[in-house]
Amino acid sequence: MRSESWRERAQCRGVGFDVFFPPEDPRMEGLAQRRQREASAKRICARCPVAGECLEWALENRETRGIWGGRTELERKAILRAQRRVRLVV
């Protein structure tokens, strides 16, 4: 099992969970609020020395919620689809 010590070096340590994850009830966050939250999270990820490892972990574990490695749920789904297409071609 690969070490997850990257989490200890993550820029998001100590930042509130609510910056990276939507509320449990989707009605509690409008589109403008969601975009603002995601932009805030992405700014933190942009400065993070382990964003690549974080994104890799989220992709490998099929993380379905939140911002991981600076990518949203939809962005990660697109990455996974592209990876599957590449494997099908090869």
Side-chain angles (χ1 to χ4, degrees):
M1 179 183 216
R2 182 180 49 190
S3 169
E4 292 185 13
S5 65
W6 59 267
R7 290 177 187 246
E8 296 170 10
R9 301 185 326 270
Q11 192 73 31
C12 61
R13 281 181 60 95
V15 176
F17 184 81
D18 59 330
V19 174
F20 296 90
F21 294 92
E24 288 294 322
D25 183 350
R27 297 173 294 177
M28 300 301 293
E29 181 179 64
L31 181 59
Q33 292 168 313
R34 181 181 182 101
R35 287 183 176 157
Q36 184 177 13
R37 178 183 53 76
E38 289 176 347
S40 295
K42 286 182 172 196
R43 280 192 297 276
I44 294 167
C45 294
R47 301 186 313 262
C48 185
V50 295
E53 291 165 276
C54 177
L55 177 59
E56 183 180 333
W57 184 91
L59 293 171
E60 287 176 2
N61 291 281
R62 303 295 196 260
E63 184 61 55
T64 60
R65 296 188 69 230
I67 304 291
W68 291 84
R71 303 297 175 96
T72 66
E73 298 95 335
L74 293 177
E75 292 167 336
R76 290 193 309 277
K77 284 181 184 179
I79 292 169
L80 290 170
R81 278 193 306 273
Q83 288 176 345
R84 280 193 299 271
R85 281 194 299 267
V86 167
R87 281 193 297 266
L88 290 174
V89 173
V90 176

